[in-house]
């Protein structure tokens, strides 16, 4: 019955609308919505919208149409569907200027949706807002305040701050609460306008109205976060805030502000947050709030989400201020309870907070390790991600074995997006905490196997570096990696790369039996691994390149499998990828060079420089620096981000050598031209190893800068003209690396140096300034810098000349940099005690 | 501070969008598209939070509608869930057991209610009664000043 009546009414309504439209009224909003909803295809919908848009546009020409309000409403609907509606911006502002409330209401709604702080009609908006803010109807002022809060630009803030301040001082709670939030917005946008609001804010916190209190707390929080002076000023408010909070806790049931039995949780959370800001790093202020925090923490009902929201905020506050230890234990225990909660949201929040507080109270968080580890198995990806981060934060020397076991189980089934990060973090964790090198290596082999192709290239480089730097590990490493490569031939390319590099370098160690039980490995076994992997289409190009290099090296270490090796090296001579083809061709030639071959394919010198520092030269022939290889967690950023670095082709380098033909370079290598007898053996050795650097470098380290740096380092040294010296790192902080390199050593007691500053941050540095000071026995002259600004991943250079006043003294230098990034000035300094080449 | 709030249907249709920070139009569309796909792909048993750019996204589904808020790193996710719930309660009170159609056909009202509840991305009124009172008073002004024609009313229609 009811539906029949409804249908009849709808029918009449439809006729009414039709007749109306024949009389010239535009389509009603609800008719437009109906038509759009009735459209069966996107094309139909578009047709309806286009037609109506055209009508609306047409009607905007008529300035005093009584239907403007309706048209704007329709336009806003069209806008929400995602169609263009910018042509209505001006009309919204005209509508706002009308005296009718409906017009203003829709006009301001349109302004909030169609304009934002970047629009050009801002002068108009500012004027309308100014008029309406002083309007006697509170709802009109209310609309203006609401609009100001949504779309204020910096100029608007400056123009209207005083009006807003006047409203805060008025005695109208409805407008006061809105004005306080507008003030919050203005302060956030233009912090210096804070001064306007400081005097009137204090009295706001004495109000009874919760809306006003909310606005006031929000405003004070914002101001305190922006300015330390204001923070000190408002510290005396703590007793007031404590009282408000106490009243909320103590007061009985108040239906207006109750949420499932808790009195105004929104206000409680806001006040707790402000207390956090006020009590941070201040023991005295903290003391004033200890009691109330304990009360909130113990008395809040936790059956519902609201209660937990308050507890969560309380925990954050307790952990951030200088609270007493009992309170901290209470807070961490609350988080422990959160971890066991059946509500996923609460578990997520708990993990997140533990991660934030792990640096505050490491031991307390450590107690919840088992639960955290359990969360690695959670079906929810958000929770797993948090749990993984927390696991790595909790790893230390004592628990690494147990934790690793769990992380490896997680890694086995982890989503692709986790594998890469997990592998990097595992490397860092194992490098820091491994009980011994064998364990480190075994764990990393498992990680490489499980993370498969998602392992970042940097981890491969680090593994290679680790094996190269630990000579007692090499024999063990080569046999473990050989077995790993044998078992898992295709799935884990990065593992194969490490394995190939190691087998290539230390293949001879593989043949020596490690212990009595193991079956000896024959040359033929090793080569057959290459024979299965190299021809496979599933093997990546990079792995094949590692493979060919390894084979070339094995040719000098193995004796009975020469033919098979040569066949494998030759196999890719016509490969479609230039990189591999070139390696194949050139190694093939090198293998036939007889005596020279053995020198070229000798074992690489120890790699001690960590390739995480991509631009630094990757070879430092100085074992003393092994200890500097700690990777800080800050560096992991560059680590993961730069995985797309293109591998350097070593083709050019080899090409320059022109091996096999009557080449000057190779003649030089052998000790200077045809006539001269062989140069001293040591010299030859040196040149060779330099060239090997190039080989080894480009085959093992896919970081572009490193390869290039070595290019101008290796070749000239071989030619024995104008020696190039190793740069030293003078400053390395906050993602900025400053290297100083000797360009010309002492000549007439003068030396020329070059400073290169690399920017590894994602932001542009401006006003970069480099200063250097030397000891009294020296003079220094700085030339102008190449550029005061450094783009991300770019560098700037600056030359300097130092003059020695006392012969045979060593130069020492103190360096300092200053620059502006994101508007704040940063500085860094460092000392260089020795320059290679001086 | 809340950066933006989106309402969308299970079919991925945007029903309401409120931006408290300025983004270029193109980026707004991109954010909507990405968030809608990401959230719709999540299973019902999963937690209500995800990370998007440097913001925390808090979402909750009510019947066929998803309510989704983007908050900053310092903000409280759990209380944001309560903010969403409070808004739903307000809509429910205003429309009388609200459904998606109410919001589609009266989207402007949904915006008006939101604007009385939140301002500049922060909560302005924690009392449901006060919010609804303010809306009712404004609706009344609107009703009184709208002339009723015989064939056609002059309001939004």
């Amino acid at each position: 019955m009811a539906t029949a009546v409804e249908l009849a009414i709808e029918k009449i309504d439809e006729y009414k609308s039709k007749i109306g439209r024949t009389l010239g009224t535009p389509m009603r909003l609800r008719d437009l919505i109906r038509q759009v909803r009735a459209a069966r295809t996107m094309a139909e919908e578009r047709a309806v919208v286009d037609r109506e848009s055209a009508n609306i546009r047409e009607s905007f020409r008529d300035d005093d149409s009584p239907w403007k309000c309706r048209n704007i409403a329709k336009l806003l609907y069209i806008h929400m569907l995602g169609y263009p509606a910018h042509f209505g911006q001006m009309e919204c502002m005209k509508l706002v200027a009308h005296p009718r409330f409906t017009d203003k209401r829709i006009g301001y709604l349109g302004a909030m949706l169609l304009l934002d702080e970047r629009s050009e009609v801002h002068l108009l908006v500012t004027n309308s807002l100014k008029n309406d803010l002083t309007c006697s109807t509170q709802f009109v002022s209310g609309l203006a305040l609401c609009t100001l809060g949504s779309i204020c630009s910096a100029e608007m803030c400056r123009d209207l701050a005083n009006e807003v301040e006047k409203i805060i001082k008025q005695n109208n709670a409805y407008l006061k609460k809105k004005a306080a939030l507008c003030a919050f917005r203005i302060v956030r946008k233009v912090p210096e306008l804070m001064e306007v609001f400081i005097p009137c804010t204090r009295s706001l916190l004495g109000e009874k109205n919760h809306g006003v209190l909310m606005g006031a707390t929000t405003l004070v929080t914002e101001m305190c976060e922006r300015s330390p002076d204001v923070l000190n000023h408002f510290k005396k408010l703590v007793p007031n805030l404590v009282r408000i909070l106490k009243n909320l806790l103590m007061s009985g049931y108040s239906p207006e502000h109750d949420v499932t039995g808790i009195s105004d949780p929104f206000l409680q959370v806001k006040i707790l947050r402000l207390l956090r800001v006020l009590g941070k790093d201040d023991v005295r202020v903290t003391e004033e709030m200890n009691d109330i925090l304990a009360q909130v923490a113990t008395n809040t009902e936790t059956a519902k989400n609201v209660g937990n929201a308050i507890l969560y905020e309380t925990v954050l506050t307790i952990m951030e201020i200088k609270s007493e230890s009992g309170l901290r234990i209470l807070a961490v225990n609350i988080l422990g309870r959160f971890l066991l909660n059946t509500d996923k949201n609460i578990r997520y929040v708990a993990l997140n907070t533990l991660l934030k507080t792990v640096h505050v109270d490491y031991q307390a968080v450590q107690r919840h390790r088992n639960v955290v580890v359990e969360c690695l198995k959670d079906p929810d990806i958000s929770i797993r991600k948090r749990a993984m981060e927390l696991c790595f934060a909790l790893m230390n020397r004592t628990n690494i074995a147990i934790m690793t076991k769990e992380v490896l189980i997680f890694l086995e089934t982890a989503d692709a997006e986790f594998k890469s990060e997990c592998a990097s973090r595992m490397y860092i964790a194992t490098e820091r905490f491994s009980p011994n090198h064998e364990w480190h290596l075994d764990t990393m082999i498992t990680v490489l196997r499980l993370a498969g192709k998602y392992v970042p290239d940097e981890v491969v480089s680090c593994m290679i570096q680790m094996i190269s730097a630990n000579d007692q590990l090499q024999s063990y490493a080569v046999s473990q990696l050989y077995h790993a490569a044998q078992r898992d031939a295709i799935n884990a390319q990065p593992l194969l790369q490490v394995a190939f590099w190691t087998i290539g370098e230390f293949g001879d160690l593989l043949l020596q039996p490690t212990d009595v039980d193991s079956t000896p490995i024959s040359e033929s076994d090793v080569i057959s691994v290459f024979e299965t992997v190299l021809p496979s289409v599933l093997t990546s190009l990079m792995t094949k390149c590692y493979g060919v290099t390894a084979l070339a090296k094995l040719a000098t270490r193995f004796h009975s499998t020469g033919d098979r090796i040569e066949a494998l090296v030759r196999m890719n001579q016509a490969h479609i990828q230039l990189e591999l083809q070139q390696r194949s061709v050139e190694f093939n030639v090198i293998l036939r060079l007889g005596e020279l071959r053995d020198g070229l394919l000798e074992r690489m010198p120890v790699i001690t420089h960590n390739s995480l520092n991509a631009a630094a030269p990757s070879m430092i022939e100085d074992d003393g620096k092994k200890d500097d290889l700690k990777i800080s967690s800050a560096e992991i950023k560059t680590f993961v981000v730069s995985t797309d670095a293109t591998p350097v082709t070593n083709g050019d380098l080899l090409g320059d050598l022109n091996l096999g033909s009557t080449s000057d370079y190779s003649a030089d290598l052998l000790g200077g031209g045809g006539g001269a007898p062989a140069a001293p053996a040591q010299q030859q050795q040196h040149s060779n190893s330099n060239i090997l650097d190039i080989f080894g470098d480009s085959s093992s380290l896919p970081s572009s800068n490193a390869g290039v740096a070595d290019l101008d380092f290796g070749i000239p040294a071989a030619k024995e003209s104008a020696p190039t010296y190793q740069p030293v790192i003078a400053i390395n902080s906050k993602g900025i690396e400053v290297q100083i390199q000797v360009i010309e050593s002492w000549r007439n007691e003068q030396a020329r140096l070059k400073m290169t500053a690399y920017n590894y941050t994602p932001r542009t540095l401006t006003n970069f300034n480099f200063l250097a000071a030397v000891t009294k026995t020296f003079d220094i002259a700085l030339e102008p810098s190449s550029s005061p600004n450094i783009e991300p991943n770019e560098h700037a250079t600056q030359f300097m000349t130092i003059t020695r006043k006392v012969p045979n003294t060593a130069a020492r230098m103190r360096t300092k940099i200053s620059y502006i990034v994101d508007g704040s000035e940063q500085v860094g300094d460092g000392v260089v005690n020795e320059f290679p080449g001086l | 501070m809340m950066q933006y709030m989106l309402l969308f249907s299970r079919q991925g249709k945007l029903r309401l969008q409120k931006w408290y920070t300025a983004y270029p139009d193109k980026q707004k569309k991109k954010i909507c598209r990405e968030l809608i796909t990401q959230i719709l792909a999540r299973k019902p048993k999963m937690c209500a939070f995800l990370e998007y750019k440097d913001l925390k996204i808090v979402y909750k589904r009510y019947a066929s509608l998803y309510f989704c808020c983007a908050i900053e790193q310092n903000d409280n996710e759990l209380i944001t869930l309560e903010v969403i719930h409070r808004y739903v309660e307000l809509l429910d009170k205003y429309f009388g057991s609200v459904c998606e159609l109410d919001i589609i056909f009266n989207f402007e009202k949904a915006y008006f209610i939101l604007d009385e509840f939140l301002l500049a991305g922060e909560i302005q009124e924690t009392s449901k009664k006060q919010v609804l009172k303010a809306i009712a008073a404004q609706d009344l002004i609107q009703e009184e000043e709208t002339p009723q024609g015989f064939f056609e009313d002059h309001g939004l229609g």
Side-chain angles (χ1 to χ4, degrees):
Chain A
M1 187 61 201
T3 47
V5 175
E6 269 167 26
L7 275 177
I9 292 174
E10 209 164 277
K11 222 37 184 194
I12 296 170
D13 183 71
E14 210 182 298
Y15 282 116
K16 215 171 102 178
S17 154
K18 265 192 189 150
I19 298 169
R21 239 175 298 161
T22 54
L23 296 176
T25 43
M27 195 201 284
R28 299 182 306 182
L29 172 60
R30 71 185 109 131
D31 292 327
L32 172 66
I33 298 176
R34 272 188 203 129
Q35 281 194 15
V36 167
R37 286 174 56 78
R40 270 165 314 203
T41 59
M42 278 310 283
E44 266 181 59
E45 180 186 299
R46 181 175 291 277
V48 172
V49 170
D50 285 350
R51 194 170 346 114
E52 196 51 30
S53 280
N55 288 340
I56 294 171
R57 209 190 272 261
E58 182 68 27
S59 79
F60 282 160
R61 302 236 171 90
D62 174 11
D63 254 348
D64 17 76
S65 151
W67 307 108
K68 191 165 271 173
C69 168
R70 176 182 291 182
N71 282 329
I72 291 287
K74 282 187 286 187
L75 193 62
L76 294 182
Y77 181 71
I78 289 170
H79 172 70
M80 181 138 63
L81 294 175
Y83 296 95
H86 51 274
F87 59 89
Q89 289 178 344
M90 214 41 204
E91 298 304 314
C92 285
M93 292 330 295
K94 286 184 192 159
L95 203 55
V96 162
H98 286 195
R100 231 163 53 117
F101 180 72
T102 315
D103 289 341
K104 282 192 190 295
R105 210 179 183 193
I106 295 292
Y108 276 126
L109 178 63
M112 283 189 272
L113 288 172
L114 300 182
L115 311 180
D116 58 41
E117 51 186 87
R118 298 163 303 113
S119 287
E120 299 80 32
V121 282
H122 261 171
L123 209 56
L124 270 176
V125 184
T126 312
N127 285 334
S128 304
L129 288 176
K130 205 165 198 161
N131 281 332
D132 286 340
L133 283 175
T134 51
C135 180
S136 58
T137 320
Q138 65 166 355
F139 293 118
V140 174
S141 316
L143 284 177
L145 284 170
C146 187
T147 310
L148 180 61
S150 279
I151 53 163
C152 62
S153 62
E155 302 95 85
M156 254 159 126
C157 289
R158 289 199 184 88
D159 291 343
L160 297 171
N162 287 318
E163 309 292 329
V164 172
E165 190 245 4
K166 272 182 210 148
I167 297 177
I168 292 182
K169 284 199 217 146
Q170 280 171 18
N171 199 15
N172 179 339
Y174 177 76
L175 293 180
K176 242 181 194 180
K177 65 183 184 196
K178 287 179 193 278
L181 286 178
C182 276
F184 149 75
R185 191 58 200 269
I186 291 172
V187 170
R188 179 170 274 216
K189 196 94 211 158
V190 190
E192 61 263 29
L193 287 173
M194 211 183 294
E195 283 166 31
V196 180
F197 300 106
I198 292 172
C200 62
T201 308
R202 208 167 164 201
S203 65
L204 282 181
L205 282 171
E207 297 264 345
K208 285 270 171 293
N209 184 297
H210 284 209
V212 178
L213 284 177
M214 282 297 283
T217 323
T218 312
L219 174 60
V220 174
T221 312
E222 183 68 23
M223 295 202 284
C224 290
E225 279 177 340
R226 302 263 151 193
S227 145
D229 292 342
V230 180
L231 178 70
N232 280 327
H233 172 80
F234 281 116
K235 273 184 181 167
K236 46 182 182 284
L237 281 180
V238 172
N240 299 24
L241 293 166
V242 169
R243 197 160 48 240
I244 300 173
L245 201 51
K246 200 168 252 164
N247 285 339
L248 286 175
L249 290 182
M250 296 304 160
S251 70
Y253 175 71
S254 84
E256 206 168 310
H257 297 109
D258 178 83
V259 180
T260 62
I262 290 173
S263 189
D264 209 337
F266 302 107
L267 185 55
Q268 289 198 37
V269 165
K270 269 272 165 310
I271 292 178
L272 286 166
R273 166 130 181 230
L274 178 53
L275 289 179
R276 170 156 86 240
V277 176
L278 292 173
K280 196 173 183 224
D281 300 328
D282 190 326
V283 184
R284 195 187 54 76
V285 175
T286 300
E287 255 168 44
E288 292 176 46
M289 49 181 94
N290 271 335
D291 282 351
I292 189 75
L293 290 176
Q295 260 184 51
V296 180
T298 45
N299 293 344
T300 305
E301 177 62 49
T302 59
K304 294 267 165 52
N305 178 57
V306 207
N308 289 320
I310 295 173
L311 278 183
Y312 171 40
E313 199 71 34
T314 314
V315 169
L316 288 176
T317 301
I318 291 175
M319 298 312 278
E320 197 153 327
I321 63 176
K322 300 246 169 233
S323 51
E324 45 194 49
S325 63
L327 214 49
R328 279 171 187 248
I329 294 176
L330 183 65
V332 177
N333 286 342
I334 291 176
L335 292 178
R337 282 210 307 276
F338 275 12
L339 275 182
L340 298 170
N341 203 302
T342 44
D343 186 340
K344 282 210 186 322
N345 296 334
I346 310 233
R347 285 218 296 277
Y348 175 87
V349 162
L351 288 171
N352 220 349
T353 317
L354 286 172
L355 194 60
K356 265 189 232 163
T357 50
V358 73
H359 66 277
V360 184
D361 199 340
Y362 183 74
Q363 287 311 326
V365 180
Q366 197 63 259
R367 278 202 297 278
H368 299 288
R369 201 181 64 222
N370 291 337
V371 191
V372 175
V373 167
E374 276 308 299
C375 290
L376 281 177
K377 298 176 186 128
D378 202 283
D380 188 338
I381 191 166
S382 300
I383 291 186
R384 281 203 306 273
K385 181 158 198 276
R386 286 278 154 257
M388 182 184 89
E389 284 170 21
L390 194 50
C391 275
F392 284 112
L394 289 177
M395 258 188 207
N396 61 26
R397 209 169 282 285
T398 49
N399 64 23
I400 185 150
I402 320 166
M403 294 289 275
T404 302
K405 217 180 276 170
E406 296 291 340
V407 172
L408 289 179
I409 295 172
F410 164 74
L411 183 61
E412 190 157 11
T413 52
D415 310 64
E417 58 177 302
F418 288 139
K419 286 195 165 169
S420 165
E421 195 185 340
C422 197
S424 312
R425 282 172 176 249
M426 265 316 283
Y427 185 83
I428 292 169
T430 48
E431 171 160 84
R432 282 180 64 191
F433 303 125
S434 284
N436 54 52
H437 287 303
E438 283 79 13
W439 190 88
H440 184 184
L441 183 87
D442 286 339
T443 310
M444 280 316 292
I445 291 178
T446 320
V447 168
L448 288 186
R449 185 165 56 78
L450 294 177
K453 62 180 177 188
Y454 301 105
V455 176
D457 289 343
E458 284 77 359
V459 173
V460 173
S461 310
C462 286
M463 290 278 290
I464 288 174
Q465 180 267 324
M466 173 188 73
I467 295 166
S468 161
N470 295 298
D471 43 4
Q472 66 281 51
L473 182 68
Q474 282 153 3
S475 156
Y476 180 72
V478 70
S479 94
Q480 291 302 88
L481 282 163
Y482 163 72
H483 289 298
Q486 225 180 7
R487 273 195 303 273
D488 197 344
I490 297 304
N491 289 323
Q493 296 295 322
L495 175 62
L496 281 180
Q497 289 161 17
V498 179
F500 281 174
W501 184 88
T502 315
I503 294 173
E505 288 298 314
F506 310 110
D508 44 339
L509 301 178
L510 194 54
L511 305 179
Q512 299 157 6
T514 41
D515 54 76
V516 215
D517 306 330
S518 58
T519 44
I521 300 158
S522 72
E523 288 184 13
S524 157
D525 295 338
V526 180
I527 300 304
S528 50
V529 170
F530 285 91
E531 277 170 342
T532 42
V533 174
L534 275 189
S536 166
V537 283
L538 297 172
T539 308
S540 76
L541 176 70
M542 182 74 116
T543 312
K544 286 186 182 177
C545 292
Y546 273 93
V548 173
T549 312
L551 282 168
K553 296 214 165 188
L554 282 183
T556 65
R557 295 160 179 54
F558 286 3
H559 307 292
S560 60
T561 44
D563 296 343
R564 284 165 75 186
I565 290 175
E566 274 177 37
L568 277 170
V569 169
R570 267 200 310 271
M571 190 175 64
N572 288 310
Q573 277 184 338
H575 197 272
I576 190 161
Q577 292 290 339
L578 190 62
E579 166 73 31
L580 181 58
Q581 188 193 82
Q582 200 156 8
R583 280 187 198 225
S584 185
V585 171
E586 286 165 1
F587 280 125
N588 190 34
V589 175
I590 290 175
L591 289 186
R592 280 190 249 122
L593 285 181
E595 214 175 299
L596 176 61
R597 172 187 95 160
D598 292 344
L600 279 172
L601 297 173
E602 254 184 18
R603 199 162 287 173
M604 278 173 74
V606 175
I607 313 170
T608 51
H609 196 287
N610 208 297
S611 58
L612 286 186
N613 247 331
S618 45
M619 310 293 158
I620 293 176
E621 286 149 22
D622 170 5
D623 286 20
K625 292 209 174 169
K626 270 185 208 169
D627 296 334
D628 298 344
L629 296 173
K630 287 276 175 285
I631 313 160
S632 72
S633 57
E635 274 168 308
I636 183 148
K637 290 263 161 57
T638 36
F639 201 145
V640 179
V641 172
S642 64
T643 46
D644 55 353
T646 45
V648 166
T649 55
N650 64 347
D652 287 348
L653 307 182
L654 287 174
D656 278 352
L657 286 172
N658 253 337
L659 290 160
S661 64
T662 50
S663 140
D664 295 339
Y665 290 140
S666 54
D668 268 354
L669 284 176
L670 287 173
Q682 203 183 350
Q683 177 61 46
Q684 186 184 349
Q685 185 75 33
H686 179 70
S687 325
N688 281 345
S689 65
N690 272 338
I691 286 174
L692 282 172
D693 287 359
I694 305 163
F695 280 44
D697 175 39
S698 42
S699 59
S700 65
L701 302 169
S703 56
S704 44
N705 290 348
V708 178
D710 273 9
L711 172 64
D712 49 41
F713 159 59
I715 300 293
K719 289 204 296 178
E720 289 183 300
S721 68
T724 308
Y725 304 102
Q726 283 289 337
V728 282
I729 297 171
I731 301 174
N732 187 0
S733 78
K734 299 176 195 157
I736 316 299
E737 188 174 290
V738 174
Q739 297 179 5
I740 299 179
Q741 188 182 13
V742 177
I743 301 297
E744 279 172 32
S745 193
W746 300 120
R747 182 177 297 170
N748 302 330
E749 296 303 311
Q750 278 200 337
R752 221 169 127 70
L753 301 142
K754 179 172 128 184
M755 183 283 298
T756 314
Y758 294 92
N759 173 15
Y760 296 127
T761 68
R763 292 173 292 269
T764 305
L765 311 183
T766 53
N767 290 16
F768 184 87
N769 191 16
F770 170 79
L771 292 170
V774 282
T775 44
K776 279 183 188 155
T777 47
F778 292 88
D779 273 335
I780 185 162
L782 283 171
E783 290 168 27
S785 162
S786 67
S787 152
N789 302 334
I790 315 180
E791 298 290 325
N793 289 322
E794 291 298 324
H795 62 267
T797 53
Q798 188 165 9
F799 288 93
M800 54 199 140
T801 310
I802 54 176
T803 315
R804 180 161 60 179
K805 291 190 254 176
V806 181
N808 297 326
T809 45
R812 291 178 62 211
M813 187 180 283
R814 185 178 288 279
T815 57
K816 200 170 166 185
I817 51 168
S818 66
Y819 52 93
I820 294 174
V821 58
D822 283 345
S824 70
E825 177 152 358
Q826 304 280 339
V827 290
D829 53 20
V831 177
V832 181
N833 288 322
E834 196 183 353
F835 290 95
L838 285 194
Chain B
M1 182 190 136
M2 191 184 289
Q3 301 253 348
Y4 46 85
M5 183 176 197
L6 305 174
L7 258 69
F8 53 89
S9 70
R10 225 166 40 158
Q11 286 76 38
K13 288 247 189 245
L14 196 61
R15 294 301 180 208
L16 186 137
Q17 49 175 335
K18 185 79 192 174
W19 301 86
Y20 294 106
T21 344
Y23 289 97
D25 277 344
K26 229 182 184 170
Q27 208 183 336
K28 281 186 188 170
K29 282 194 175 155
K30 186 169 167 253
I31 292 173
C32 289
R33 205 173 49 235
E34 290 182 356
L35 280 181
I36 290 174
T37 17
Q38 257 190 52
I39 291 174
L40 289 180
R42 285 172 67 85
K43 299 198 176 67
K45 284 275 173 65
M46 291 182 169
C47 73
F49 315 123
L50 46 114
E51 281 158 58
Y52 179 74
K53 313 239 161 95
D54 54 343
L55 296 175
K56 301 198 274 198
I57 306 292
V58 178
Y59 72 92
K60 191 158 184 190
R61 181 179 156 184
Y62 286 89
S64 58
L65 267 189
Y66 283 86
F67 292 70
C68 158
C69 300
I71 55 172
E72 292 167 352
Q73 285 305 323
N74 285 330
D75 293 328
N76 185 322
E77 299 97 323
L78 297 179
I79 206 74
T80 308
L81 279 175
E82 292 302 317
V83 169
I84 293 178
H85 187 70
R86 172 56 62 89
Y87 181 47
V88 175
E89 283 179 330
L90 288 168
L91 291 171
D92 202 58
K93 270 254 167 65
Y94 182 83
F95 289 107
S97 84
V98 66
C99 67
E100 196 187 335
L101 276 183
D102 289 321
I103 294 172
I104 297 173
F105 279 96
N106 302 286
F107 68 90
E108 81 282 5
K109 297 279 199 254
Y111 278 115
F112 294 150
I113 296 172
L114 187 62
D115 286 341
E116 285 295 334
F117 174 42
L118 303 178
L119 198 156
E122 294 282 353
I123 307 163
Q124 61 162 311
E125 181 56 70
T126 58
S127 154
K128 272 185 271 191
K129 209 173 93 192
Q130 293 298 334
V131 173
L132 293 170
K133 225 170 81 183
I135 294 288
Q138 293 175 70
D139 283 357
L140 192 68
I141 303 178
Q142 203 176 323
E143 215 168 277
E144 278 171 351
E145 68 185 12
T146 309
Q148 295 284 319
F150 180 73
F151 289 119
E152 192 57 289
D153 56 57
H154 278 239
L156 306 175

